[in-house]
């Protein structure tokens, strides 16, 4: 059996502007696309990761080329982009490259804000969802779980996490450049998402004076507002509340714009031109891009925030380098495991292992007794050989049995585990990663 | 004496160069050196002015060279005293460039000592001229603040960060810098106009005669008065305040130079 090829097809903030990413954010249909992707011919296992900065399809396939093309078509279906544009705005990683890429993503080395901690949680969530829908099998189980442990290793062995900042941190830096002190400023969160909560926590740590939460459902707004000792309003009350806040962070799941230029224009006069800092972390965007044309209004979307981080990036680059080395090392280890997931090398490895055992045990025994005749020695050697051969017969027959590709991989993994054939030494720790 | 002026000028240029170096490299040693250099230049400048005072026998603010030199001196000490109470990141770089430009003008202008006309032989000369020029010094610092505001705002607004974003302070800090400069500069400007008017009554017998310099200083006064007024009533702050303080200072400079060279009038022999 041919070992599966790993593929990653994706779009991230590096290759595609926010306008393109919006088109495939899968916000409209709530169904996880893995079920549909799994039906693509050649696709044996798959997992889908969608965050506000990236879309990644992780897939294990038997025919890499045609499957990759089909997955890409599926991702961009309905985006209205031409084939060339699709190729320009997406990337395809195959084999070892794919391994390296996922490890980098999990370790937050590929993040817009290097070292930001959210991506690992998002990847864990994506994996869990795929596991529940049974679209992941032995290869991806191993692969994705391994990426978790790589991320963990990077976090403990490098300093990337300590200087790590998230988008909300970048926003805090900018807010300070605009307002000086944040002590008497108020922030409004539009949309009660995880991202908004994180941003609010950052701002509260900076001593912000008050929090207002605006949400489509008032109930969720109230829940979130209570956590921050803030007040809650519905989306209809958004514009009138703008007069009293200085920073607005929008992260709704709305498909259209939530706040227009004309809504804000009259408010700026009422605010006596006190500046207003608008942060749009939603994809698709919530805030009218024209808002930035207003005097004393500063509008930033996710891509713009990247530039803020770019400014003090050099400090983190050193940590990123040592993190990259860890990722490269783990990639090679994993590749070795992946290469082993074929029948012939597994059988060879199994035989080798048995032969080594037989030979070393024989040597030990024979060196202890001196008065055996050559005939006796011969008999002992035959005995040892036939025991190992008989012991190996069923496992090898079991491996050679035909079955579905997923079953084959499972069997290979099982046999390799039972006989400890993995080149990777810290084997046992990986799989309990999810529970942590 | 001319030599002392030239040494002072060079000291200012070195201070400015060091400030620019500090701005570019952001090394603390450069900032310390720049501050010391500027203080040394300020002390040298004080000596230059004193020597000139004894040499010409009256307050050395009677021609363009003296007026602009005094302007630079006021700005130096205004800045040094200012930053003793109130600090703004990298403000020194911008102010020192302004001072050096003023010194350049003073170096080019004629240093000849002319006999003082009888109308100017008055105690009002040091009072009126020094107040008016010190007003210009603070308004000039406000101008620097306004430029810094616009540079910083442009980077934040365009969301493309260049050399200024990290180096300049927050917009809020720059706006309050503008406010601070104005709150000293504007009262001085008012006092300058009032003292000039009293002196005019004594020297020419009338408080106000719509001489071009008087008219332009009034225009300057109105620009700043409008800025202060609308700041409190209509929220003219930040960007608009920065632009207004740049316009206001341009008008002040025109009062100082433009009027003298272009429009003439009874004031034109003075700075």
């Amino acid at each position: 059996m041919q070992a599966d090829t790993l593929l990653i097809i994706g779009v991230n903030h590096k290759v595609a502007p926010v306008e393109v990413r919006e088109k495939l954010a899968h916000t409209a249909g709530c169904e996880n696309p893995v079920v549909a992707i799994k039906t693509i011919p050649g696709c044996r296992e798959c997992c889908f990761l969608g965050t506000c900065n990236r879309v990644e399809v992780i897939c294990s396939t038997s025919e890499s080329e045609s499957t990759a093309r089909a997955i890409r078509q599926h991702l961009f279906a309905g985006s209205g982009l031409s084939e060339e544009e699709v190729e320009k705005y997406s990337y395809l990683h195959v084999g070892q490259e794919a391994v390296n890429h996922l490890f980098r993503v999990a370790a937050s080395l590929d993040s817009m804000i290097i070292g930001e901690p959210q991506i690992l949680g998002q990847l864990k969530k994506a994996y869990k969802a795929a596991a529940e829908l049974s679209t992941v099998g032995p290869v991806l189980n191993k692969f994705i779980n391994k990426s978790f442990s790589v991320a963990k290793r990077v976090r403990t062995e490098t300093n990337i996490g300590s200087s790590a900042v998230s988008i909300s941190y970048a926003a805090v830096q900018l807010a300070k450049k605009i307002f000086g002190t944040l002590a008497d400023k108020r922030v409004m969160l539009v949309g009660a998402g995880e991202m908004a909560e994180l941003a609010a926590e950052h701002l509260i740590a900076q001593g912000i004076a008050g929090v207002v939460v605006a949400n489509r459902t008032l109930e969720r707004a109230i829940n979130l507002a209570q956590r921050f000792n803030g007040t809650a309003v519905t989306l209809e009350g958004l514009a009138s509340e703008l007069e009293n806040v200085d920073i607005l962070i929008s992260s709704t799941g709305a498909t259209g714009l939530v706040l227009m230029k004309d809504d804000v224009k009259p408010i700026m006069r009422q605010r006596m031109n006190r500046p207003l800092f608008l942060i749009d972390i939603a994809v698709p965007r919530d805030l009218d891009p024209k808002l930035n044309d207003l005097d004393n209004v500063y509008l930033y979307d996710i891509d713009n925030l990247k530039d803020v981080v770019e400014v003090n990036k050099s400090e983190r680059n050193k940590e990123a380098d040592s993190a990259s080395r860890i990722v490269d090392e783990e990639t090679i280890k994993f590749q070795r495991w992946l290469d082993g997931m074929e029948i012939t090398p597994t059988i060879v490895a199994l035989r080798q292992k048995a032969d080594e055992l037989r030979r070393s045990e024989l040597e030990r025994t024979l060196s202890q007794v001196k008065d055996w005749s050559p005939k006796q020695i011969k008999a002992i050697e035959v005995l040892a050989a036939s025991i190992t051969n008989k012991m190996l017969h069923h496992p090898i027959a079991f491996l050679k049995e035909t079955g579905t590709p997923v079953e084959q991989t499972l069997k290979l993994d099982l046999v390799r585990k039972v006989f400890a054939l993995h080149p990777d030494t810290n084997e046992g720790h990986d799989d309990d990663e999810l529970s942590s | 004496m001319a030599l002392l002026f030239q040494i002072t000028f060079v000291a200012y240029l070195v201070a400015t160069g060091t400030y620019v170096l500090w701005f570019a490299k952001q090394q603390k040693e450069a900032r310390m050196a720049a501050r010391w250099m500027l203080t040394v230049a300020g002390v040298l400048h004080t000596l230059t002015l004193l020597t000139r005072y004894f040499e010409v026998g009256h307050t050395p603010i009677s021609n363009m060279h003296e007026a602009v030199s005094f302007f630079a001196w006021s700005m130096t000490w205004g800045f040094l005293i200012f930053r003793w109470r109130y600090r703004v990141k990298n403000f020194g770089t911008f102010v020192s460039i302004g001072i050096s430009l003023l010194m350049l003008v003073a170096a080019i202008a004629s240093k000849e000592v002319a006999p003082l006309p009888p109308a100017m032989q008055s105690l009002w000369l040091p009072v009126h001229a020094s107040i008016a020029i010190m007003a210009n010094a603070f308004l000039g610092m406000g101008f620097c603040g306004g430029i810094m505001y616009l540079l910083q705002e442009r980077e934040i607004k365009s969301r493309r960060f260049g050399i200024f974003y990290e180096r300049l302070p927050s917009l809020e800090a720059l706006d309050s810098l503008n406010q601070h400069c104005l709150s000293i500069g504007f009262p001085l400007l008012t006092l300058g106009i009032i003292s000039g008017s009293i002196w005019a009554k004594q020297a020419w017998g009338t408080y106000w005669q719509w001489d071009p310099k008087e008219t332009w200083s009034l225009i300057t006064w109105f620009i700043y008065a409008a800025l202060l007024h609308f700041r409190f009533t209509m929220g003219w702050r930040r960007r608009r305040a920065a632009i207004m303080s740049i316009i206001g200072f341009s008008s002040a400079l025109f009062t100082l130079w433009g009027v003298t060279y272009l429009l003439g009038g009874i004031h034109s022999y003075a700075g």
Side-chain angles (χ1 to χ4, degrees), chain A residues 263-332:
Chain A
D263 299 336
V264 179
K265 207 173 175 181
I267 290 163
M268 286 314 284
R269 208 167 298 133
Q270 286 164 24
R271 290 174 57 85
M272 301 272 278
N273 285 316
R274 276 177 297 124
L276 190 60
F277 180 26
L278 307 174
I279 305 160
D280 190 351
I281 48 182
V283 174
R285 277 177 289 187
D286 283 345
L287 307 180
D288 183 0
K290 288 200 206 85
L291 278 164
N292 201 43
D293 301 341
L294 293 172
D295 253 7
N296 298 314
V297 173
Y298 305 96
L299 169 69
Y300 276 71
D301 67 22
I302 268 188
D303 281 351
N304 305 141
L305 284 171
K306 177 171 65 183
D307 300 335
V308 187
V309 183
E310 213 66 27
V311 173
N312 47 17
K313 200 177 160 192
S314 60
E315 298 155 30
R316 270 196 305 283
N317 274 351
K318 239 193 304 170
E319 295 303 327
D321 281 349
S322 51
S324 292
R325 271 196 296 279
I326 294 174
V327 164
D328 291 347
E329 191 188 311
E330 295 288 344
T331 304
I332 293 168

Side-chain angles (χ1 to χ4, degrees), chain A residues 7-8 45-47 56-60 102 123 140 143-144:
Chain A
L7 284 186
I8 290 181
E45 303 173 29
C46 68
C47 179
E56 310 258 355
V57 176
I58 308 154
C59 162
S60 163
L102 185 69
L123 184 59
L140 288 197
F143 182 30
I144 297 171

Side-chain angles (χ1 to χ4, degrees), chain B residues 232-243:
Chain B
F232 293 112
T233 57
M234 285 175 66
W236 275 28
R237 54 185 87 221
R238 293 182 162 252
R239 186 179 164 78
R240 214 166 279 186
I243 292 172

Side-chain angles (χ1 to χ4, degrees), chain A residues 4-166:
Chain A
D4 288 355
T5 311
L6 286 172
L7 284 186
I8 290 181
I9 293 150
V11 175
N12 67 11
H13 55 95
K14 288 178 184 165
V15 296
V18 70
E19 289 84 1
V20 172
R21 301 204 302 273
E22 287 177 352
K23 289 184 180 154
L24 37 82
H26 281 276
T27 43
C30 291
E31 197 184 317
N32 195 318
V34 280
V35 180
I37 295 171
K38 184 82 190 305
T39 60
I40 289 171
C43 175
R44 285 181 184 157
E45 303 173 29
C46 68
C47 179
F48 176 84
L49 170 68
T51 75
C52 51
N53 288 330
R54 64 176 68 248
V55 168
E56 310 258 355
V57 176
I58 308 154
C59 162
S60 163
T61 171
S62 51
E63 288 139 77
S64 52
E65 260 177 52
S66 59
T67 314
R69 212 174 310 120
I71 291 174
R72 194 147 49 193
Q73 268 164 12
H74 178 84
L75 268 185
F76 283 92
S79 69
L81 293 174
S82 72
E83 187 103 6
E84 285 152 23
E85 282 175 311
V86 166
E87 259 181 51
K88 191 174 127 202
Y89 291 131
S90 64
Y91 45 80
L92 165 67
H93 295 302
V94 184
Q96 194 159 339
E97 254 180 57
V99 175
N100 198 275
H101 179 75
L102 185 69
F103 288 180
R104 289 184 68 85
V105 169
S108 190
L109 287 171
D110 197 53
S111 297
M112 183 161 85
I113 295 156
I114 291 176
E116 60 96 7
Q118 293 148 29
I119 184 66
L120 187 59
Q122 287 160 336
L123 184 59
K124 282 183 178 175
K125 222 183 240 174
Y127 173 65
K128 207 174 154 212
E132 273 161 14
L133 294 165
S134 322
T135 61
V136 287
V139 172
L140 288 197
N141 276 336
K142 176 82 182 173
F143 182 30
I144 297 171
N145 276 308
K146 187 73 204 169
S147 78
F148 299 155
S149 68
V150 172
K152 207 173 176 182
R153 209 190 134 192
V154 165
R155 209 152 279 279
T156 48
E157 289 181 27
T158 74
N159 234 339
I160 203 157
S162 73
S163 55
V165 275
S166 62

Side-chain angles (χ1 to χ4, degrees), chain B residues 183-203:
Chain B
S183 63
I184 300 174
F186 185 71
L188 283 176
L189 182 67
T190 313
L191 275 178
I193 291 174
I194 291 171
S195 64
S197 160
I198 296 171
W199 186 14
K201 173 73 179 167
Q202 284 186 359

